[in-house]
């Protein structure tokens, strides 16, 4: 399984990248707007930090607009992936862009049928929104598991990015049911790192060492 970071905050990307656990980045219009910076400038900086797939999302709603924007995004860097919403127009754009060997990430996926359609249209990635599904009392992890089963049965090459991950439990569950990738916000990485028994264990080891040897080596 691979992990991406779901943010446009370059300080957060640098910090998690330095630990060596992420191999890609996903952004969306909300995350870019939150940084209050120019899209091109942020993307350029991200491509300098992480050498892996970086999703930048289109804004247009018509296929022709998305295709045009998608080509521009793809031109920005060899690692760019064009993020496209799961609509009929979106999938038309995915079909055209995939024929041009441009990688796509179909976003705002909430069902296994949507994921199947995206895969058949040629999507490189599909992004089921686990957290938003669970916010509305649906089982987001079951949707991820269903998508994985369908992709495997029909030998479809599309990879699942479990997105909208809000808790360490959702991350662990996405890994358990076979998401190829999870894109994780900084705050969830932070929570998932910590365990009270790890901290307690370090304290006890140090205390025992100091009791026996003082501060020596
Ligand atoms: O980038 C898409 C997704 O991860 C959004 O997450 O928390 O806004 O539902 P969220």
């Amino acid at each position: 399984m691979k992990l991406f970071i779901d943010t446009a905050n370059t300080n957060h990307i640098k910090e998690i990248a330095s630990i060596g656990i992420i191999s890609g980045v996903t952004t969306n219009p909300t995350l870019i707007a939150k940084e209050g910076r120019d899209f091109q400038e942020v993307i350029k900086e991200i491509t300098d930090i992480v050498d892996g797939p970086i999703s930048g999302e289109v804004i247009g709603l018509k296929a022709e607009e998305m295709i045009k924007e998608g080509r521009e995004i793809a031109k920005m860097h060899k690692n760019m992936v064009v993020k496209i919403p799961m609509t009929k127009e979106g999938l038309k754009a995915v079909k055209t862009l995939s024929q041009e060997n441009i990688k796509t990430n179909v976003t705002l996926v909430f069902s296994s049928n949507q994921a199947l359609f995206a895969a058949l249209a040629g999507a490189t990635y599909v992004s089921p929104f686990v957290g938003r599904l669970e916010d509305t009392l649906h089982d987001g992890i079951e949707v991820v598991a269903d998508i994985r089963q369908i992709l495997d049965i029909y030998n479809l090459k599309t990879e699942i990015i479990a997105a909208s991950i809000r808790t360490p439990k959702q991350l662990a569950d996405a890994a358990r049911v076979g998401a190829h990738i999870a894109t994780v916000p900084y705050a969830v990485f932070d929570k998932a790192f910590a365990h009270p028994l790890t901290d307690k264990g370090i304290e006890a080891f140090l205390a025992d060492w100091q009791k026996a040897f003082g501060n020596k080596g």
Side-chain angles (χ1 to χ4, degrees):
M1 188 193 193
K2 287 169 279 183
L3 294 176
F4 292 176
I5 188 166
D6 194 24
T7 185
N9 181 302
T10 50
N11 288 328
H12 288 167
I13 297 171
K14 272 183 207 146
E15 185 188 326
I16 303 297
S18 73
I19 303 164
I21 58 173
I22 55 163
S23 54
V25 180
T26 51
T27 68
N28 64 34
T30 304
L31 294 172
I32 298 276
K34 207 164 133 195
E35 298 308 309
R37 297 177 58 196
D38 174 63
F39 177 67
Q40 307 258 352
E41 182 190 299
V42 180
I43 293 292
K44 163 86 189 70
E45 213 177 308
I46 296 174
T47 58
D48 288 341
I49 307 168
V50 176
D51 184 16
I54 293 155
S55 289
E57 193 158 338
V58 298
I59 302 298
L61 296 175
K62 288 268 165 229
E64 307 76 62
E65 295 163 351
M66 293 191 235
I67 291 165
K68 196 166 166 262
E69 277 182 76
R71 286 177 182 144
E72 292 305 313
I73 291 171
K75 255 190 249 157
M76 290 167 76
H77 192 275
K78 66 172 174 47
N79 288 340
M80 289 310 293
V81 175
V82 183
K83 208 169 175 191
I84 294 185
M86 174 58 222
T87 59
K88 287 179 186 166
E89 289 294 303
L91 292 196
K92 283 187 213 168
V94 167
K95 181 174 172 254
T96 302
L97 293 172
S98 77
Q99 282 164 351
E100 296 174 15
N101 288 321
I102 292 175
K103 291 195 169 134
T104 55
N105 172 3
V106 174
T107 188
L108 290 160
V109 166
F110 293 92
S111 75
S112 49
N113 282 337
Q114 289 182 321
L116 174 63
F117 297 162
L120 293 174
T124 318
Y125 304 102
V126 282
S127 290
F129 274 30
V130 173
R132 290 193 200 184
L133 274 165
E134 303 212 334
D135 288 348
T136 55
L137 285 181
H138 288 88
D139 190 340
I141 294 300
E142 198 181 359
V143 172
V144 174
D146 286 350
I147 297 171
R148 178 64 202 245
Q149 204 181 344
I150 292 165
L151 294 176
D152 286 354
I153 291 172
Y154 298 105
N155 202 20
L156 295 163
K157 297 293 169 229
T158 306
E159 288 193 298
I160 302 167
I161 304 180
S164 183
I165 295 289
R166 305 266 169 78
T167 65
K169 170 93 167 72
Q170 288 171 345
L171 169 57
D173 286 343
R176 179 174 53 80
V177 300
H180 303 90
I181 300 150
T183 190
V184 183
Y186 178 82
V188 177
F189 270 123
D190 234 21
K191 281 189 201 152
F193 259 105
H195 196 290
L197 290 179
T198 305
D199 299 339
K200 224 174 134 190
I202 293 170
E203 262 172 48
F205 285 154
L206 280 181
D208 289 345
W209 181 271
Q210 273 165 7
K211 227 187 286 159
F213 307 114
N215 283 327
K216 278 183 281 164

